[in-house]
Amino acid sequence: MAADREKRGAYAAAAVVALALLTACGGPAEMPDDAAHAPASDSPAAEGTNDDRAVTTPRVAVAAGVLQAAGLGFELSSEATSAQLEQLREDPADPMDGVVVAPSSCAGPLEQMNWSPTLVADSAEEAALTQFRNENVAAIGSLEVARIDDREGLDAHYATVRTLLDECSTVTLNLQRPGDDGAVVPTSGPLKHSEPETGYETDSAVFWSLLPNHDQQQQSLVLIREAGDYVAMVSFTGPENISDPEFTQMAESVLEITVLELEAQQER
């Protein structure tokens, strides 16, 4: 895998990008253990990122959500820089490169799931993205907020999720993964989509699981909710247990605090 693709994958908020990391690298994304991935603080930028961008509504809202995540045990966080957000907008990773989907009619919707709220903002400065984790938990959380400048783009994403839930709830992926000796091994397995039960109202909610019978299985939960001129997305991605009610409750809690902060910012 090329270095630029690894950087894109590290900050891509659309949970299906984990598929790209799985098929190309053989495992889920991991946050490095370095100064840039410091404990969450109450500043808009995570401590140690050396990011001097202006304080914006998305960054303040994301900071509030990340503080909530820290209170739930996900104390390590890393905020995407302007350059990383711009790269995400201009050159997103291709999660379906080299993957054959059956039925083939579901290939298009799956490709369109490589989506990020950043894409509906006019510029990267109107968006913010932070990943967070607990060093004792395999799952990685992500929180992204962006201004809705492209209404059609956001509605198209909602429609894509609905198509996957209604028409592509179970598909078969034929892909390649590294074998024990380092050689590429063809494999196939199911990718399943379902709509999680949530106690907090969302505009879009999806849970998916990939290769449940393989040692490289992956799961993801993605919740989206709008707040005035902005949209917020929370996701958890990991090898297992993402379907547990605890992850849904944590995602709802982070999303709710983020939305409350967005509403408060827009009332000022």
Side-chain angles (χ1 to χ4, degrees):
M1 175 189 290
D4 60 341
R5 191 172 184 184
E6 291 183 21
K7 292 177 182 177
R8 290 198 300 269
Y11 284 99
V16 79
V17 171
L19 172 59
L21 295 165
L22 180 67
T23 56
C25 298
E30 294 184 359
M31 292 175 65
D33 184 14
D34 57 29
H37 299 77
S41 70
D42 57 1
S43 62
E47 182 181 347
T49 59
N50 296 320
D51 193 346
D52 58 357
R53 286 181 296 156
V55 175
T56 63
T57 294
R59 295 186 77 201
V60 171
V62 166
V66 170
L67 281 175
Q68 180 70 4
L72 297 171
F74 284 71
E75 298 179 341
L76 301 177
S77 67
S78 178
E79 181 184 12
T81 65
S82 294
Q84 288 163 332
L85 287 171
E86 195 60 49
Q87 189 175 45
L88 177 62
R89 286 165 54 83
E90 294 180 355
D91 189 21
D94 181 5
M96 301 306 296
D97 185 21
V99 179
V100 177
V101 180
S104 59
S105 59
C106 293
L110 283 175
E111 290 176 356
Q112 294 169 30
M113 276 293 283
N114 185 25
W115 181 88
S116 160
T118 303
L119 299 175
V120 302
D122 279 345
S123 73
E125 297 307 315
E126 288 290 348
L129 165 63
T130 293
Q131 287 186 331
F132 48 88
R133 70 178 178 91
N134 178 318
E135 61 183 3
N136 298 315
V137 179
I140 293 178
S142 177
L143 172 59
E144 183 173 357
V145 170
R147 183 178 177 86
I148 307 171
D149 294 313
D150 179 5
R151 179 76 247 178
E152 291 184 358
L154 181 57
D155 288 341
H157 177 69
Y158 292 156
T160 295
V161 173
R162 196 70 256 165
T163 297
L164 290 174
L165 291 171
D166 295 342
E167 303 174 22
C168 304
S169 59
T170 300
V171 301
T172 299
L173 301 183
N174 297 290
L175 45 89
Q176 295 179 336
R177 64 188 182 93
D180 295 336
D181 58 356
V184 174
V185 179
T187 188
S188 65
L191 171 63
K192 298 183 178 181
H193 296 87
S194 61
E195 189 166 11
E197 293 185 5
T198 59
Y200 178 68
E201 184 177 352
T202 64
D203 292 297
S204 178
V206 62
F207 168 81
W208 61 255
S209 62
L210 171 67
L211 304 179
N213 298 321
H214 291 262
D215 57 1
Q216 294 173 309
Q217 65 183 355
Q218 193 83 330
Q219 298 180 343
S220 190
L221 170 72
V222 185
L223 306 181
I224 298 176
R225 177 159 167 166
E226 296 177 35
D229 296 331
Y230 296 86
V231 60
M233 181 172 82
V234 176
S235 68
F236 278 103
T237 301
E240 58 186 355
N241 300 328
I242 305 300
S243 60
D244 291 351
E246 290 81 2
F247 278 103
T248 301
Q249 292 166 6
M250 286 190 292
E252 290 174 335
S253 179
V254 172
L255 185 59
E256 180 177 11
I257 293 301
T258 303
V259 167
L260 287 173
E261 183 61 39
L262 281 170
E263 292 172 344
Q265 290 289 318
Q266 293 176 86
E267 290 174 358
R268 295 178 180 174

